[in-house]
Amino acid sequence: MPGYELIGKEELDEIKEIFNNGGILFRHGFDNLRSNIYKVKEFEKKFSQEISSNHCLAVTSGTAALRVALSALELQPDDEVITQAFTFVATVEAIIESRARPVCANIDSTLNLCPQDFRKRITNKTKAVIVVHMLGVPARLDEIKSICDEHNITLIEDTAWGCGGSFQNIKLGTYGDIGTFSFDFAKTITTGEGGMISFKDEVLYKKAAAWHDHGHENNPKVPRWEDTRSSSGFNYRMMELQGAVGLAQLNKLSFVVDAQRKNRDLIVNELKKIKNIVFREIPKDSFDTADALVFFVDSNSVAKKCRDSLLKIGISTKILPEAYTWHFAGTWNHMKELSDSHNNDLINDLRKSHEILSRSVAIPINVKMDAGMEKEIFKAISNVII
Ligand SMILES: *Cc1c(COP(=O)(O)O)cnc(C)c1O
């Protein structure tokens, strides 16, 4: 959850360094005025090191990260990009903005992409898949990657919720070809608004870097105004204040993930005492970020009762069950392009995901948890489902 729980002196000190050295807020140029301070560039470099990525590009949001990632694939209007039915609207919006056709596949008991359903939805137009590590749990990356390799499909990981997690000891966001991250205010680390993209391949990185900056190739041999270009682009550049906050937050990432995992374990150990409780499946060899703890109940009405019971002790649920229409593609009839791909019958075409999500409850995990809270949560849930 919680970068925002830990905003403080470290972030302010990073920002002060900019203002004490000329106050240059743009990531490029002004070389004589900035005492060699380039916060966005430094953030990209340190983030690459943190996740062992070949190339990282900072952008203005997680949504922009998805859009810029897709720009590198040079999609044509007939091309299809598959993602999962449980995600945030941004994932599908980025595909629509790229003028490709969005297609959603069902989730399984991991609440992430179901490899079998993904395989079924592949056509000869499928160019990429965006898997999402929802609420910090890795997708079944090994199975999905082998399907991608078989069909020559680019694997993009929407790691908005998985920053700091790993799968088979490989950091999330670097297992596939491209990984995207969000630093919005509700994500594991935050820059207020912001995002990052990780690339395995230098050619894709260079295309995306140019596209996110109006096509500027940032040719070191010429000044910016004489810069070379080979395509048009757009502006999704991160600015120095965000880079500064990101540097301070990045130093807190492992602390955040460790604290979340500890607090999650406390709650799991209590809830396990409830007979027959079924938790969300976590794929083998996963290191999840414990952003939320999800369990399944018998029906949507029981899920809502769990929420009401938690609210009475001052704890909210996270997305499930209350906000699932923002996160379940089966309800997105407002996206004509998506609906078209599903015979204008989204909810039926994604029935399996609907069945799982409608009886899921997600408890948000914070870094700072009051002592004994796990026992309160146990009481609130066991009142409803015993
Ligand atoms: C938050 C989120 C995004 C969008 O990130 P923003 O930084 O808010 O634009 C994209 N995908 C998923 C799965 C997210 O949770």
Side-chain angles (χ1 to χ4, degrees), residues 41-313:
K41 264 184 217 163
E42 192 185 343
F43 184 35
E44 288 172 339
K45 188 161 158 232
K46 296 228 164 106
F47 196 87
S48 306
Q49 287 163 354
E50 173 69 32
I51 64 167
S52 304
S53 161
N54 298 345
H55 311 277
C56 278
L57 177 69
V59 291
T60 45
S61 71
T63 309
L66 288 161
R67 176 65 189 94
V68 174
L70 290 170
S71 78
L73 306 186
E74 296 178 1
L75 296 167
Q76 302 303 311
D78 258 2
D79 291 341
E80 293 170 7
V81 178
I82 299 177
T83 187
Q84 64 197 48
F86 180 43
T87 179
F88 179 52
V89 285
T91 322
V92 174
E93 286 170 337
I95 300 169
I96 294 173
E97 279 295 303
S98 311
R99 286 179 286 172
R101 181 187 279 273
V103 176
C104 286
N106 276 309
I107 54 162
D108 62 19
S109 53
T110 63
L111 298 191
N112 291 327
L113 188 67
C114 166
Q116 290 77 28
D117 198 56
F118 164 45
R119 185 188 284 281
K120 277 189 209 150
R121 298 192 192 243
I122 294 172
T123 71
N124 58 6
K125 305 265 189 212
T126 307
K127 289 294 180 313
V129 61
I130 307 178
V131 300
V132 190
H133 307 299
M134 278 302 274
L135 297 166
V137 171
R140 297 187 196 277
L141 284 170
D142 47 353
E143 288 174 65
I144 292 164
K145 185 170 185 325
S146 63
I147 298 171
C148 287
D149 290 346
E150 220 178 285
H151 294 270
N152 197 18
I153 291 171
T154 302
L155 174 54
I156 301 176
E157 299 172 65
D158 181 340
T159 318
W161 258 316
C163 189
S166 57
F167 181 72
Q168 296 176 341
N169 278 324
I170 296 170
K171 292 282 183 179
L172 298 183
T174 66
Y175 195 99
D177 302 294
I178 303 178
T180 66
F181 297 82
S182 162
F183 307 128
D184 82 21
F185 211 53
K187 298 290 160 55
T188 314
I189 57 173
T190 185
T191 58
E193 298 278 6
M196 189 73 80
I197 318 168
S198 156
F199 298 86
K200 228 170 224 157
D201 177 59
E202 190 178 10
V203 174
L204 293 186
Y205 161 72
K206 283 190 165 161
K207 270 191 205 165
W211 193 85
H212 106 296
D213 188 14
H214 303 293
H216 272 279
E217 287 173 336
N218 281 291
N219 186 340
K221 295 194 193 97
V222 296
R224 190 166 158 80
W225 59 89
E226 286 176 18
D227 212 349
T228 52
R229 53 199 170 247
S230 14
S231 78
S232 75
F234 219 69
N235 176 6
Y236 288 111
R237 289 185 305 255
M238 182 181 267
M239 74 125 148
E240 291 291 281
L241 294 179
Q242 292 164 301
V245 174
L247 282 165
Q249 285 271 300
L250 188 58
N251 282 334
K252 300 176 182 180
L253 176 60
S254 61
F255 173 80
V256 168
V257 173
D258 288 349
Q260 289 182 163
R261 288 173 60 93
K262 240 176 247 160
N263 289 336
R264 185 265 317 270
D265 290 347
L266 287 173
I267 300 170
V268 166
N269 284 337
E270 285 298 314
L271 292 186
K272 268 199 311 210
K273 296 177 192 159
I274 300 174
K275 216 172 57 180
N276 298 331
I277 193 158
V278 180
F279 293 103
R280 170 190 194 175
E281 184 182 348
I282 297 183
K284 193 170 155 284
D285 300 324
S286 289
F287 182 87
D288 70 303
T289 66
D291 182 82
L293 172 65
V294 184
F295 57 93
F296 305 121
V297 296
D298 287 339
S299 66
N300 187 242
S301 68
V302 175
K304 284 180 177 153
K305 278 185 201 154
C306 287
R307 172 174 161 80
D308 292 342
S309 187
L310 286 167
L311 283 176
K312 280 190 197 134
I313 58 165

